[in-house]
Amino acid sequence: MKRSFIREILEHTDSDTISFAGGLPDPGLFPVEELRRAGERALGEAGVYQYATSSGLAPLREWIARWYSDGGFPTEADEILITSGSQQALDIISRYHTGRAITIESPSYLGAQNLFDLNNISTDPIPLHPEGIDLPGFAASIRQTRLAYLIPDFQNPTGSRYRPEHRAAIARDCEQHDALLIEDAPYSELYFDAPIPSISRRVPTRSYRLGTLSKILAPGLRIGWIRADRTLLTPLIAYKEATDLHTSPLTQSIAWHYLRDTDTLRQHIRQIRSRYHAKMTHFADTLTRQLPAFDFTRPEGGMFLYGTLPDTDTRALLRRCLPRGVVFVPGAEFGGSDDAIRFNYTHSSMTEIEEGIGRIREAMEAV
Ligand SMILES: Cc1ncc(COP(=O)(O)O)c(C=O)c1O
């Protein structure tokens, strides 16, 4: 298995390094005070110290089901399985589908590709365009694999966002070929304009819709979930139980006490969107000014900005950037081209964005 290159880079950086590498939220946006209050309530409950049910805390599952239903995707609490982050959701689903083939986007999320490798799932990568996966390629592939893994909202690493027509075509293909869809959606709430309905809504009985609190609240809580039809979800509960019995009742309870006032979360997400939009704009403007050769499309949400530096080996460029104290992830790490780069624009401050991009320019000029 390929070790996460991103983690390796993070290990080799010091506190002066400006990192555009990880998928880290802006730490200034964690609602620490509200979470502390939620934590105090949770710590006062005897139940958080006991073993709990594998499918998750009932009120939290009910809250998530209501969140989907209010958003136009009717969901019951027993269609939700709580996991330790959406990474564990991917792990459980991969184990269940061991030995199969799967259609994926190219490039795609490294953490999922590693799990597919571990579980002997052979991947069929189909090119990803800014408006979504290549449709003829997808149709030909899904007919063989009958299983797909897609990230339609502000994809990791490319930031691509599937258009509504694209989503409709994929849903039709899944129906036609009796296929299952794993729709990974950690960034779906981080749009700058308006949401686009999920593919899962069109195929509720053939999809695993993955959600997480990592990008809208705090990744340290390790709370994610799978939304699926009961027939699909029930066999996964045994896998969840075999893996770790259940997700920590303490963090589930903290999350629930925070979430129960849904308006607080809505307000918080609005704040994240507006801050990330401002950061993306600053990042994109600085790139245009300082690295005019970098060819990219401005993302409409999410946490990543992806593009190419024609005729540049970006792994070699990264090696020159490390001693200058700035890092990013070369696109080739995700299965992208050798001249591609993924930048995370959410973690650094406005000043660091300016400074970091300046250091990359110096590294380029030093050739
Ligand atoms: C596409 C995608 N899926 C899943 C994850 C895992 O997120 P978590 O386990 O924190 O929910 C990430 C994290 O960056 C991601 O980008």
Side-chain angles (χ1 to χ4, degrees):
M1 188 188 76
K2 194 158 140 194
R3 186 156 176 263
S4 168
F5 182 77
I6 306 170
R7 296 222 162 270
E8 271 180 50
I9 299 173
L10 291 178
E11 278 165 21
H12 287 98
T13 56
D14 56 34
S15 55
D16 294 331
T17 302
I18 297 175
S19 178
F20 302 141
L24 273 56
D26 181 337
L29 286 171
F30 295 139
V32 175
E33 190 46 38
E34 288 87 346
L35 283 169
R36 191 183 60 75
R37 278 203 295 274
E40 271 168 15
R41 288 202 191 135
L43 284 167
E45 294 165 350
V48 302
Y49 304 103
Q50 188 53 282
Y51 283 117
T53 54
S54 299
S55 46
L57 195 74
L60 181 60
R61 295 166 73 207
E62 279 156 22
W63 185 93
I64 295 166
R66 210 162 41 244
W67 178 264
Y68 280 124
S69 301
D70 291 351
F73 187 8
T75 299
E76 303 284 340
D78 61 359
E79 292 173 316
I80 303 292
L81 169 62
I82 305 288
T83 55
S84 301
S86 48
Q87 188 66 24
Q88 191 187 47
L90 281 168
D91 184 20
I92 289 170
I93 296 170
S94 300
R95 288 185 204 210
Y96 181 66
H97 289 289
T98 297
R100 286 187 65 164
I102 193 165
T103 306
I104 64 166
E105 298 151 335
S106 175
S108 182
Y109 171 52
L110 198 57
Q113 295 189 59
N114 280 337
L115 280 172
F116 298 148
D117 283 353
L118 268 178
N119 289 292
N120 235 352
I121 298 179
S122 59
T123 53
D124 186 17
I126 305 298
L128 179 63
H129 309 301
E131 71 285 358
I133 199 164
D134 184 76
L135 284 178
F138 180 81
S141 175
I142 195 78
R143 191 183 184 166
Q144 304 294 331
T145 61
R146 298 180 47 235
L147 181 65
Y149 168 68
L150 305 177
I151 312 162
D153 296 299
F154 321 115
Q155 199 248 12
N156 182 4
T158 62
S160 289
R161 186 187 202 190
Y162 288 42
R163 300 283 149 227
E165 322 77 72
H166 232 82
R167 295 175 193 235
I170 285 162
R172 274 196 305 275
D173 285 340
C174 288
E175 290 285 3
Q176 191 181 339
H177 301 298
D178 190 22
L180 290 177
L181 171 68
I182 306 166
E183 185 177 35
D184 193 5
Y187 309 103
S188 60
E189 292 293 336
L190 304 184
Y191 50 82
F192 301 148
D193 47 7
I196 300 180
S198 69
I199 304 176
S200 297
R201 257 169 79 166
R202 297 175 182 269
V203 282
T205 58
R206 358 185 122 261
S207 58
Y208 302 102
R209 165 101 181 161
L210 311 191
T212 179
L213 294 183
S214 291
K215 316 297 180 178
I216 52 170
L217 189 55
L221 290 172
R222 307 309 301 132
I223 301 283
W225 59 86
I226 304 170
R227 185 264 176 234
D229 178 68
R230 289 174 195 85
T231 340
L232 291 179
L233 200 65
T234 306
L236 299 184
I237 299 172
Y239 282 73
K240 166 68 183 168
E241 191 176 350
T243 305
D244 65 350
L245 302 184
H246 55 75
T247 296
S248 161
L250 179 57
T251 57
Q252 290 189 71
S253 179
I254 296 172
W256 182 67
H257 280 295
Y258 176 88
L259 295 170
R260 55 196 294 187
D261 176 12
T262 305
D263 282 345
T264 308
L265 178 73
R266 288 194 198 285
Q267 167 69 23
H268 180 60
I269 297 177
R270 274 198 291 274
Q271 200 191 345
I272 298 177
R273 285 181 197 133
S274 116
R275 178 83 69 91
Y276 286 2
H277 194 179
K279 284 195 171 186
M280 186 283 291
T281 306
H282 185 58
F283 209 109
D285 290 349
T286 312
L287 280 172
T288 309
R289 230 180 24 253
Q290 302 250 39
L291 297 182
F294 188 68
D295 186 15
F296 68 100
T297 311
R298 284 179 189 235
E300 294 169 12
M303 297 172 58
F304 304 111
L305 197 153
Y306 190 87
T308 54
L309 265 174
D311 306 320
T312 304
D313 175 343
T314 57
R315 279 184 172 134
L317 176 62
L318 176 64
R319 276 191 285 278
R320 293 202 300 279
C321 283
L322 268 170
R324 290 182 166 79
V326 62
V327 290
F328 54 79
V329 186
E333 293 303 316
F334 308 100
S337 57
D338 287 342
D339 59 358
I341 294 181
R342 185 196 77 174
F343 290 118
N344 163 263
Y345 58 79
T346 58
H347 181 250
S348 309
S349 68
M350 295 293 199
T351 323
E352 286 167 339
I353 289 172
E354 193 102 19
E355 172 66 28
I357 295 173
R359 291 182 192 175
I360 297 172
R361 193 186 63 181
E362 281 166 30
M364 287 181 69
E365 287 170 353
V367 183

